[in-house]
Amino acid sequence: MGKALDGVKILDFTHVQSGPTCTQLLAWFGADVIKIEKPGTGDITRGQLRDIPDVDSLYFTMLNHNKRSITLDTKNPKGKEVLDALLKHCDVLVENFAPGVLDRMGLTWEYIHKVNPRMIVASVKGFGPGPYEDCKVYENVAQCAGGSASTTGFREGPPLVTGAQIGDSGTGLHLALGIVAALYQRNTTGKGQKVLCAMQDGVLNLARVKLRDQQRLAHGPLTEYSQYGEGVPFGDAVPRAGNDSGGGQPGWILKCKGWETDPNAYIYFITQAPVWEAICDLIGEPGWKTDPGYKTPKARLPKLKAIFARIEQWTMTKTKFEVMQECNKVDIPVGPILSMKELAEEPSLRATGTVVEVDHPTRGKYLTVGNPIKLSDSVSEVKRSPLLGEHTEEILRDVLKFGEKQIAEIRSSGAIGGTEKMAAE
Ligand code: COA
């Protein structure tokens, strides 16, 4: 059996993180992703945050698996010819340039649609149409503009960004879904369409529960927020809620054995209503099962801080894994705070292909995150990222069927790089 997206050809104009996340997913599902890079430099992340001199950074390698790389100066007339041939050949153009860049390259929607009416043009931008549409945007800008930062952190502290790249990788994920939907619709219409995913919109979508709470505020305090129990009045916007659960079952992060020296000796503990009695037994407070002051979720809401403090007395006597083991036995939902070191070493994640070791010709072996979306009949294999321009000749010859004379002309025009692969090797 082949791959889910076998036969889909992607002209990949993406760079940095948001766009590459999207095209990497499409490549994992079997699409042929041809990444166009500027001769000489390529995707700027190749050289960013380098841990080994003159070797593609992990930033780049971990976002560009299973792709082919062609170096092409799209502003060179010969380069434009190659680009036009690629436009005719491919099904989807994916880009995350700053606003206006694609148009300046001459790739307006009208032009692309004329060259290939079936072409889907998928874009990540920082903002959708409106006052900020011309702005350049990076991850943390999106987290701030999309409502995540204002609702993350502790009430007493400043807004916080999160380590999960919800602005970049989150938007790339949204865009991939938009592309697959547009490909599906093209089966009936025969025509391509534009797919736009703004990073602000992607973050807001992921912060949906906070817009829910904004509207609930109009009808009274948010009783599941611990500030309610602490008697702190609410303002007119959703506050930062520390480690409060975003759902209807109260939760908090609690210390476990070793917290004094291990910054990750903590566990997320959820006092889910259906297992309240099991929690009381486990922590040695059986009286709370029948005490009217604790028996119902409503009665507990104003006392959550004290309740979690009592549970923490129990969790501090055990490691996070012991807490997890004991809680799982009686169906109490808890989550150990796992460090990146622990995740990298976790055998079950290796077994499922979520954490994968990859070999790279200039870097050697490194770890990456494989496809988190598992299809039973289209299993993703993680193949190393391409060296800069590694597939330039192969694409001109085998994909675009250019003859040797034509390739020589393109080469002598300076439109393609050529030596990068050798330099890298
Ligand atoms: N050949 C010739 N020129 C090329 C080229 C190629 N193969 N590939 C790119 N370029 C040129 C572009 O034409 C552009 O030139 P121009 O401004 O003279 O028209 C230039 O390279 C750089 O494009 P730009 O996208 O503006 O890069 P940047 O480094 O200035 O900005 C971002 C980076 C991420 C801020 C910006 O691309 C952006 O806001 N993207 C949308 C939001 C986004 O995805 N952000 C998250 C990134 S993880």
Side-chain angles (χ1 to χ4, degrees), residues 7 37 86 102 140 148 169 172 193 200 209 274 304 317 339 341 352:
E37 300 186 76
L86 281 167
L102 210 59
N140 288 345
S148 175
S169 288
Q193 60 184 300
Q200 181 184 43
V209 297
L304 285 178
T317 64
S339 68
K341 182 171 184 296
T352 57

Side-chain angles (χ1 to χ4, degrees), residues 53-110:
D54 303 324
V55 168
D56 284 338
S57 69
L58 284 166
Y59 196 8
F60 178 83
T61 55
M62 291 178 72
L63 285 160
N64 289 285
H65 292 107
N66 298 52
K67 304 180 187 178
R68 299 201 265 180
S69 165
I70 170 172
T71 43
L72 190 68
D73 179 356
T74 57
K75 289 172 181 159
N76 174 307
K78 281 279 172 206
K80 193 77 195 329
E81 273 176 41
V82 177
L83 191 56
D84 280 357
L86 281 167
L87 283 178
K88 286 189 192 122
H89 171 79
C90 291
D91 299 286
V92 189
L93 183 159
V94 191
E95 62 94 19
N96 67 310
F97 287 128
V101 168
L102 210 59
D103 286 359
R104 286 201 291 279
M105 274 186 189
L107 298 182
T108 59
W109 165 249
E110 291 71 25

Side-chain angles (χ1 to χ4, degrees), residues 13 15-20 36-39 44-45 59 70-76 95-102 104-105 124-127 134-139 167-169 171 199 415:
F13 250 136
H15 64 157
V16 200
Q17 185 181 164
S18 64
I36 300 190
E37 300 186 76
K38 227 192 228 175
I44 193 168
T45 59
Y59 196 8
I70 170 172
T71 43
L72 190 68
D73 179 356
T74 57
K75 289 172 181 159
N76 174 307
E95 62 94 19
N96 67 310
F97 287 128
V101 168
L102 210 59
R104 286 201 291 279
M105 274 186 189
V124 170
K125 293 289 165 262
F127 294 93
D134 292 330
C135 300
K136 285 185 177 180
V137 167
Y138 281 107
E139 170 69 47
D168 279 338
S169 288
T171 308
M199 293 167 74

